[in-house]
């Protein structure tokens, strides 16, 4: 069982026994009996009111219910209705401003400068960190798949580059302040995923996996603005799944970063959150499409809405032999046997890290895309699928429904299909039969809803953001500012 996060720092004040006080007072025949009793009564009332108020604040701030904070509004319509006057000064910074810590370079810049050390087996990260975390341009490889005018907006983006992308954007955000006294929130631009990732797949001990995180927290806790709130108005991005930062035992996987004392109150924007931790906020994995303008977004939405789709469903993925009863292996076999309805891209023999023209072409040509869990419950492929206007089919609810509440619609059936993985494995449900029951009109409506989601799961190219459309960064930064201000 995964460890849960608890707050134990609020304790109910002990009640004062008035009967004992009264008895002792009367027996002493003190002339101060009644004034003393009145004073004690007033203190009792004060403590009751104070405790009642704090308890309610505690519950409202730290309840595990996903509705404890208002979520940023998501768009409900396609194309032009996604416009929101993002640069209208009267609508900017209503929830406050963000101060960005200038960390020692060992916590971010030097990690990029030493990119060859980030992966012990491959130099791929030296490509991944280019262009503010977007990676190398992919225009020449996608020329036959995407419109020529949009090809420059496509990159080979690594799924673990959230920290780099977010840092680049926040430095130019309209609500960034250089005066910490005026800040609502404080952003810690530590590339934790890159730092910890160096030690995950080799024989490093827990000290190596924790050292950067411990040094970072010591530095932050020495800052004067940390001390005013003990970190509750601070936030950080984590570019790997949160489980990589939740080592609870001596020899378990990953770092213990999330469990370190200094992380108790810090809000975390992470590509896969823990459903039991209210400080985790799930944000989209980066995809390969990074629009340069509102016009790019609208043109892409029009393109995917009219693209010819010749397959009912598709699956992109590889087997996981180390997993017992590997469900992805089952889907690969199933899809190959249903080749007249299903397109498949088998990644078993290749590494589909950053996408490929065959992957995008497969999603563009299919009504539905099968989205099992990845190595953990989530996978980047979900967002590649949605960007292509294909309707995701989930087999675990935790793959999306309780992960990305700020970014995906609250009505799952409006944009996706859910089929329980156990029903598929025991043969009581046929994926093809379920999907064939949807009429062309139902599929059209679901696709429209999927396409309306696209802007808010993208990370745009301009550091200042798009002209009027909010992307994933805008939704995330406004959401965390709103959350901290409410707190």
């Amino acid at each position: 069982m995964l460890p849960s996060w608890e707050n134990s720092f609020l304790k109910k004040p002990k009640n004062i026994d008035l009967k004992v006080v009264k008895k002792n007072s009367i027996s002493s025949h003190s002339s101060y009996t009644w004034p003393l009793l009145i004073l004690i009564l007033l203190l009792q009332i004060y403590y009751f009111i104070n405790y009642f108020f704090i308890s309610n604040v505690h519950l409202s701030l730290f309840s595990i219910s996903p509705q404890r904070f208002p979520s940023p509004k998501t768009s409900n319509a396609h194309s032009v209705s996604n416009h929101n006057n993002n640069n209208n000064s009267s609508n900017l910074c209503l929830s406050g401003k963000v101060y960005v810590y200038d960390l020692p370079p060992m916590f971010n810049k030097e990690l990029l400068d030493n990119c060859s050390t980030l992966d012990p087996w491959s130099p791929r990260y030296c490509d991944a960190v280019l262009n503010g975390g977007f990676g190398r341009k992919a225009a020449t490889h996608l020329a036959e798949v995407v419109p020529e005018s949009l090809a420059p907006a496509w990159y080979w983006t690594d799924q673990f580059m959230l920290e780099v992308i977010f840092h680049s954007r926040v430095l130019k955000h309209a609500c960034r302040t250089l005066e910490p006294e005026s800040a609502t929130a404080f952003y810690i631009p530590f590339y934790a995923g890159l730092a910890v990732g160096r030690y995950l797949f080799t024989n490093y001990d827990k000290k190596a996996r924790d050292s950067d995180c411990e040094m970072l927290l010591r530095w932050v806790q020495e800052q004067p603005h940390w001390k005013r709130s003990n970190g509750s108005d601070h936030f950080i991005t984590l570019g790997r799944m949160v489980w990589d930062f939740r080592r609870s035992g001596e020899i378990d996987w990953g770092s213990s970063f999330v469990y370190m004392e200094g992380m108790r109150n810090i809000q975390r924007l992470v590509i896969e959150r823990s459903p039991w931790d209210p400080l985790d906020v799930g944000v989209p994995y980066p995809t390969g499409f990074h629009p340069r303008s509102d016009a790019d977004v609208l043109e892409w939405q029009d393109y995917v809405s009219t693209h010819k789709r010749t397959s009912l469903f598709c699956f992109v993925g590889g087997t996981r032999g180390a997993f017992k009863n590997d469900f992805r292996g089952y889907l690969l076999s199933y899809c190959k046997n249903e080749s007249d309805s299903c397109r498949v891209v088998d990644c078993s023999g290749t590494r589909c890290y950053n996408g490929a023209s065959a992957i995008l072409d497969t999603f563009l040509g299919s009504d539905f895309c099968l989205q099992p869990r990845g190595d953990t419950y989530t996978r980047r492929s979900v967002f590649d699928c949605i960007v292509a206007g294909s309707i995701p089919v989930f087999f675990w609810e935790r793959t999306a429904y309780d992960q990305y509440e700020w970014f995906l619609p609250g009505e799952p059936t409006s944009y996706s299909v859910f089929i329980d993985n156990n029903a598929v494995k025991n043969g009581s449900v046929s994926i093809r039969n379920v999907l064939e029951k949807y009429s062309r009109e139902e599929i059209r409506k679901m696709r429209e809803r999927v396409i309306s989601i696209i802007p808010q799961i993208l990370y745009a190219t301009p550091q200042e953001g798009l002209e009027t459309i909010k992307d994933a960064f805008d939704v995330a930064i406004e959401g965390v500012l709103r959350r901290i201000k409410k707190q």
Side-chain angles (χ1 to χ4, degrees), residues 16-46:
I16 300 174
D17 193 333
L18 288 178
K19 293 181 179 180
V20 173
V21 173
K22 184 175 180 180
K23 180 179 179 180
N24 292 339
S25 299
I26 293 174
S27 63
S28 65
H29 301 288
S30 171
S31 60
Y32 298 102
T33 297
W34 289 110
L36 179 60
L37 286 174
I38 293 172
L39 177 61
I40 292 173
L41 180 61
L42 291 174
L43 285 173
Q44 186 88 326
I45 294 171
Y46 168 77

Side-chain angles (χ1 to χ4, degrees), residues 52-204:
F52 179 80
F53 172 76
I54 292 177
S55 297
N56 278 281
V57 171
H58 169 68
L59 290 173
S60 67
L61 292 182
F62 298 106
S63 167
I64 293 178
S65 167
Q67 301 302 321
R68 64 197 177 283
F69 292 108
S71 298
K73 295 184 181 299
T74 55
S75 306
N76 291 316
H78 171 42
S79 296
V80 179
S81 61
N82 283 304
H83 288 215
N84 53 59
N85 296 321
N86 191 36
N87 289 332
N88 186 332
S89 59
S90 64
N91 293 328
L92 286 176
C93 310
L94 294 178
S95 295
K97 296 185 177 183
V98 58
Y99 179 80
V100 182
Y101 279 119
D102 184 15
L103 297 182
M106 66 172 294
F107 296 120
N108 43 47
K109 183 180 183 299
E110 288 183 3
L111 290 168
L112 306 186
D113 293 341
N114 299 304
C115 57
S116 61
T117 67
L118 298 178
D119 188 327
W121 298 293
S122 169
R124 67 187 180 92
Y125 274 116
C126 288
D127 286 341
V129 302
L130 297 174
N131 297 308
F134 291 153
R136 291 193 180 278
K137 286 183 172 290
T140 56
H141 297 84
L142 298 176
E144 297 181 1
V145 182
V146 305
E148 182 179 358
S149 59
L150 293 177
W154 284 86
Y155 296 76
W156 298 125
T157 303
D158 189 274
Q159 64 178 339
F160 296 139
M161 286 294 111
L162 177 70
E163 296 150 346
V164 182
I165 293 171
F166 204 94
H167 188 195
S168 178
R169 282 288 300 277
V170 75
L171 290 175
K172 295 289 186 178
H173 193 265
C175 295
R176 180 194 177 193
T177 178
L178 300 179
E179 300 174 353
E181 295 79 9
S182 65
T184 298
F186 293 79
Y187 175 58
I188 306 170
F190 172 40
Y191 299 167
L194 298 183
V196 171
R198 294 176 295 176
Y199 308 115
L200 290 179
F201 300 98
T202 46
N203 295 322
Y204 288 98

